[in-house]
């Protein structure tokens, strides 16, 4: 939400925190006390591009991403348990919210890359390696990696950018045993994601997942937050994949193309806010989210 917007008032819930595109609430019990071990995770219809929040919002985006994440949790259930308790949520956020177990979140952004682009590509060009993994020579923007590489970052506050973490820094934060498990699981989640998505016309270049542990210390890592959505991952249309150039984005390409076209009149390097998106661009973008959901799950949205 724009910082000027007030969070939605949800009866029986207290607003806790808002990120760029999602909001967190705490349930309030019959006794008026905050329920300590649960959270309500609400996906908004907000969209960011070039580090700006777009207006208007994208209808159904929050519901599509929530349903996609729930579907992926099922696809991944044999690899890792997840935080989902229920989709029985207030009517105002029906379909775009989930009730989850409140966990102690690990202070590491668990990222894995299956294709080389962005920050990983920059590091490879400078050093020939990504996060300590030496890679073959001759890789380009968009090249598929021999296997997914774990490239964790810090969790920076909203507005600041996350910084790469070395394997030693991750071990110092988590301990060697948990660090190894986070790395293994993050790479396994992306590998499983790509096994499923590739058959359905989508490549998942990289993904960010979040893990937590039960506050009572019982049990192992729990997959939290959202998983393998276009907001947490780079989705590429497989048919357009062509290493050696910037790949088109599955969900945001209409928005980026319009913003950088003369028609928008916007100069993204001038520092001012972007213009309102035309209805046509909003509808094309909504359709891409729905298309990704339907292709991946084989279900109608
Ligand atoms: C997730 C986030 C936001 C949505 C905290 N199961 C959990 N237990 C404890 N904390 C979290 C979770 Cl998922 C948690 N986030 C990120 C921020 C809306 C998700 F504003 N932060």
């Amino acid at each position: 939400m724009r910082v000027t917007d007030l969070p939605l008032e949800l009866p029986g819930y207290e607003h806790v925190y808002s990120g760029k595109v999602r909001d967190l609430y705490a349930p309030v019990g019959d006794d008026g006390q905050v329920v300590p071990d649960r959270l309500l995770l609400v996906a908004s219809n907000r969209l960011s591009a070039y580090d700006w929040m777009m207006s208007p919002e994208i209808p159904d985006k929050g519901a599509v991403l929530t349903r996609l994440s729930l579907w992926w949790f099922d696809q991944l259930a044999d690899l890792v348990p997840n935080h989902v308790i229920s989709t029985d949520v207030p009517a105002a956020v029906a379909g775009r919210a989930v009730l989850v177990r409140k966990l102690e979140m690990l202070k590491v952004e668990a990222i894995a890359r299956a294709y080389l682009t962005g920050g990983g590509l920059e590091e490879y060009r400078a050093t020939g390696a990504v996060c300590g993994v030496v890679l073959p020579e001759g890789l380009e923007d968009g090249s598929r990696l021999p296997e997914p590489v774990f490239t964790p970052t810090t969790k920076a506050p909203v507005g600041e950018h996350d910084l790469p973490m070395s394997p030693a820094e991750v071990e110092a934060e988590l301990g060697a045993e948990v660090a190894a498990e986070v790395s293994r699981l993050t790479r396994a989640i992306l590998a499983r994601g790509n096994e499923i998505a590739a058959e359905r016309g989508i490549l998942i270049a990289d993904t960010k997942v979040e893990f937590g542990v039960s506050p009572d210390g019982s049990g192992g890592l729990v997959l939290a937050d959202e998983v393998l959505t276009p907001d947490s991952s780079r989705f590429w249309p497989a048919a357009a994949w062509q290493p050696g150039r910037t790949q088109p984005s599955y969900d945001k390409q209409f928005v980026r193309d319009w913003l950088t076209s003369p028609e928008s009149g916007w100069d993204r390097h001038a520092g001012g806010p972007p213009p309102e998106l035309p209805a046509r661009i909003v509808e094309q973008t909504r359709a891409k989210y729905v298309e990704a959901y339907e292709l991946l799950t084989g279900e109608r949205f």
Side-chain angles (χ1 to χ4, degrees):
M1 67 181 56
R2 288 157 52 227
V3 277
T4 50
D5 289 343
L6 292 168
L8 199 56
E9 294 265 12
L10 296 176
Y13 292 83
E14 218 169 74
H15 178 252
V16 175
Y17 177 80
S18 286
K20 270 201 320 194
V21 297
R22 291 166 313 145
D23 310 302
L24 273 183
Y25 293 78
V28 177
D30 295 334
D31 57 359
Q33 300 281 92
V34 162
V35 178
D37 58 354
R38 293 182 177 203
L39 285 172
L40 185 73
L41 214 66
V42 181
S44 76
N45 293 330
R46 301 191 290 272
L47 172 81
S48 75
Y50 299 119
D51 270 339
W52 288 93
M53 297 315 296
M54 298 294 117
S55 176
E57 297 186 343
I58 308 300
D60 295 326
K61 174 176 180 270
V64 174
L65 269 57
T66 296
R67 280 168 64 173
L68 185 58
S69 208
L70 289 167
W71 182 81
W72 279 121
F73 279 129
D74 280 348
Q75 305 304 306
L76 299 167
D78 63 315
L79 295 178
V80 60
N82 64 68
H83 68 161
V84 176
I85 294 172
S86 159
T87 55
D88 184 8
V89 299
V93 293
R96 62 181 179 94
V98 280
L99 193 64
V100 303
R101 290 166 56 195
K102 183 173 177 174
L103 304 167
E104 263 176 33
M105 303 301 289
L106 304 188
K107 290 186 187 65
V108 170
E109 297 279 20
I111 298 170
R113 302 172 185 273
Y115 294 79
L116 196 57
T117 193
L121 177 65
E122 283 174 41
E123 189 179 341
Y124 168 76
R125 283 180 173 157
T127 69
V130 173
C131 204
V133 178
V134 177
L135 295 172
E137 282 180 54
L139 300 181
E140 311 175 279
D141 194 351
S143 289
R144 187 178 176 125
L145 298 173
E147 59 185 343
V149 177
F150 180 58
T151 63
T153 70
T154 59
K155 279 187 187 177
V158 176
E160 292 171 44
H161 283 282
D162 299 337
L163 293 171
M165 287 178 87
S166 68
E169 289 170 323
V170 178
E171 283 193 17
E173 177 63 43
L174 303 179
E177 196 182 336
V178 174
E181 187 67 352
V182 168
S183 169
R184 182 186 71 77
L185 281 172
T186 306
R187 289 177 289 118
I189 288 164
L190 182 57
R192 173 72 62 79
N194 269 314
E195 279 170 24
I196 293 171
E199 296 167 4
R200 302 166 192 193
I202 292 174
L203 307 179
I204 307 174
D206 44 43
T207 195
K208 175 167 84 179
V209 293
E210 297 216 26
F211 295 99
V213 292
S214 198
D216 65 13
S218 72
L221 292 174
V222 178
L223 184 58
D225 215 357
E226 60 176 345
V227 64
L228 295 171
T229 72
D231 276 2
S232 67
S233 318
R234 281 189 179 93
F235 280 25
W236 292 340
W241 179 54
Q242 194 183 303
R245 62 159 169 90
T246 305
Q247 308 305 309
S249 157
Y250 201 92
D251 51 317
K252 292 185 182 177
Q253 204 58 43
F254 288 115
V255 170
R256 290 184 184 158
D257 287 351
W258 181 79
L259 284 174
T260 55
S261 74
E263 198 196 323
S264 81
W266 187 55
D267 176 2
R268 74 181 169 109
H269 302 294
E276 291 275 306
L277 298 175
R280 171 187 91 255
I281 302 299
V282 172
E283 183 43 45
Q284 286 175 326
T285 301
R286 178 193 176 278
K288 292 306 286 186
Y289 285 109
V290 171
E291 182 183 86
Y293 174 84
E294 293 186 343
L295 276 174
L296 286 168
T297 67
E299 292 159 23
R300 285 307 296 263
F301 172 68

